[in-house]
Amino acid sequence: MTPYADLRREDFRATIDGTPTDLFTLRNRRGMAVRITNYGCKIVQILAPDRDGALGDVVQGYETLERTMAGQPSMGSFIGRYCGRIGGGRFTLDGVEHRTAVNAPPNTLHGGQRGSRFRTFAARQPDETSLELTHVFQDGEEGFPGTLPVRLVYALDEDNALTIAWTAVAADKATVANFTDHTFFNLSGDAGSSILDHVATVNGSRYLALDATAVPTGELVDVTGTPFDFRSPAAFGARIGDGHPMLALGKGYDLHYAVDKPAGALGLHARVVHPGSGRVLEVFSTEPGVQVYTGNFLDGQMPRDLGKGGTLYTRHSAFCLEPSHFPNAVNIPSFPSTALAPGQWYAGRIVYRFGVA
């Protein structure tokens, strides 16, 4: 068994933009632990048991705040104010065109140059099993209209399920919002090993076709007969090299699925099993879609990919399951809307439930 890093709270304490940063630990009575920093609301460690009851760290992250800030910016982060890509860095809302910060040319990605993954949230930990985080996205920030306060609650229960619940409101004018969590998982407990042996099931019969800049075109494609059909369990590595144009574009799996469940209902998005350890991750959410990503842009670069315990994070050493509304929905009327009228609320949940097989 690979030993896990002993993270120190003092290594995450600083002040950024006037807000103190810290490292918070959630625990349940079964021994599971989740560690989160309020810088970017990043999950930096999850200790979950294998089939023999041994705890292992099942997420990638960094040992200090300094390394976290120099690392992969999305790793472990809460993503807002708009996750995924916005094509061309522009959208029209109520007849007015808005131009958003282009940080993945020619597109806006994950909220722009100073999205939530670069922000320090105000934090309050009411008890050992929960953490409350708050932030206000300002009108005009990154080109988005309207003031958007958001409240996040991370809660760990006795069934080894971590829930991330959010509420946000269009405080003063019409706006758009789309949130997700971007935790990088490796259920083996060895964050430097390949996840291509992990066996995945994805509850989606259609995926979103992409253009050459990885922006959804609006077309939903049936997964039948493609390497994207995970309706029956299959290893991530089984078909990742089959040459499909969408796999070549993303250097592996990096696609959004329309989840087969009732709109707004909390439903199963995906299930992943690591055969060696027996660990199982089930992902549930209220969101209509899920991005499946296989760590294709982890490059083993220093210092960006130097993780906990001196582990170098390399290509396909993690996977992400990111429930959200569809990327680029602001530009595609047929997609579930991400627009909020003044005074309208946006609420959602993601549940990561850990078990064994």
Side-chain angles (χ1 to χ4, degrees):
M1 182 185 70
T2 304
Y4 53 82
D6 183 17
L7 302 183
R8 302 189 310 167
R9 192 170 188 176
E10 56 265 32
D11 290 334
F12 286 83
R13 284 178 163 165
T15 300
I16 298 176
D17 296 331
T19 303
T21 63
D22 208 336
L23 183 69
F24 302 90
T25 300
L26 310 184
R27 300 182 189 275
N28 66 14
R29 291 191 295 270
R30 298 178 65 182
M32 188 172 164
V34 180
R35 292 189 170 90
I36 304 161
T37 176
N38 57 321
Y39 172 72
C41 305
K42 298 176 192 285
I43 295 172
V44 295
Q45 188 172 62
I46 296 179
L47 303 181
D50 66 10
R51 64 165 61 93
D52 298 319
L55 291 176
D57 191 349
V58 297
V59 303
Q60 292 183 339
Y62 303 93
E63 288 188 28
T64 68
L65 178 63
E66 182 180 14
R67 287 192 178 180
T68 299
M69 295 178 73
Q72 296 271 353
S74 294
M75 187 169 284
S77 296
F78 170 73
I79 305 293
R81 116 195 229 158
Y82 206 95
C83 65
R85 287 175 171 81
I86 295 176
R90 65 180 65 189
F91 65 93
T92 299
L93 182 65
D94 294 342
V96 178
E97 184 181 82
H98 299 276
R99 298 198 175 199
T100 50
V102 171
N103 60 325
N107 308 312
T108 300
L109 176 65
H110 292 335
Q113 295 168 344
R114 291 294 308 277
S116 61
R117 54 195 176 147
F118 303 105
R119 299 292 186 174
T120 303
F121 282 46
R124 184 180 75 91
Q125 186 167 13
D127 55 55
E128 196 173 40
T129 63
S130 65
L131 176 66
E132 179 184 292
L133 298 153
T134 57
H135 181 68
V136 179
F137 295 102
Q138 300 297 330
D139 180 23
E141 186 177 326
E142 301 294 302
F144 290 95
T147 307
L148 184 74
V150 58
R151 175 178 180 263
L152 292 170
V153 176
Y154 290 66
L156 180 63
D157 69 18
E158 296 304 317
D159 292 325
N160 285 355
L162 174 66
T163 297
I164 305 170
W166 62 79
T167 52
V169 63
D172 49 17
K173 61 178 68 171
T175 189
V176 296
N178 193 13
F179 301 151
T180 193
D181 174 77
H182 210 313
T183 298
F184 282 56
F185 294 99
N186 186 319
L187 300 181
S188 73
D190 178 2
S193 65
S194 173
I195 52 83
L196 297 183
D197 62 341
H198 287 48
V199 177
T201 309
V202 179
N203 185 25
S205 56
R206 297 174 299 165
Y207 70 85
L208 278 58
L210 304 177
D211 68 15
T213 70
V215 170
T217 64
E219 180 187 5
L220 294 174
V221 182
D222 190 329
V223 300
T224 303
T226 76
F228 310 112
D229 191 349
F230 284 93
R231 290 174 294 181
S232 297
F236 281 127
R239 297 165 296 188
I240 199 169
D242 91 333
H244 191 284
M246 291 292 98
L247 288 171
L249 177 66
K251 299 183 179 180
Y253 290 100
D254 194 5
L255 277 182
H256 204 90
Y257 288 77
V259 176
D260 297 329
K261 70 173 186 65
L266 183 70
L268 179 67
H269 281 219
R271 183 178 190 266
V272 180
V273 180
H274 177 246
S277 68
R279 290 190 184 91
V280 178
L281 171 63
E282 293 179 310
V283 181
F284 302 83
S285 182
T286 53
E287 297 299 281
V290 61
Q291 188 84 10
V292 177
Y293 173 62
T294 48
N296 313 319
F297 296 98
L298 295 167
D299 296 324
Q301 294 184 13
M302 296 280 287
R304 188 187 70 173
D305 296 317
L306 182 62
K308 291 171 290 185
T311 300
L312 204 57
Y313 299 147
T314 57
R315 188 179 181 194
H316 303 324
S317 61
F319 68 90
C320 302
L321 299 169
E322 309 160 51
S324 72
H325 277 60
F326 299 168
N328 202 36
V330 288
N331 290 310
I332 301 177
S334 61
F335 282 179
S337 178
T338 54
L340 299 175
Q344 185 176 353
W345 289 82
Y346 169 33
R349 275 183 293 163
I350 297 170
V351 180
Y352 294 128
R353 188 169 69 191
F354 296 87
V356 293

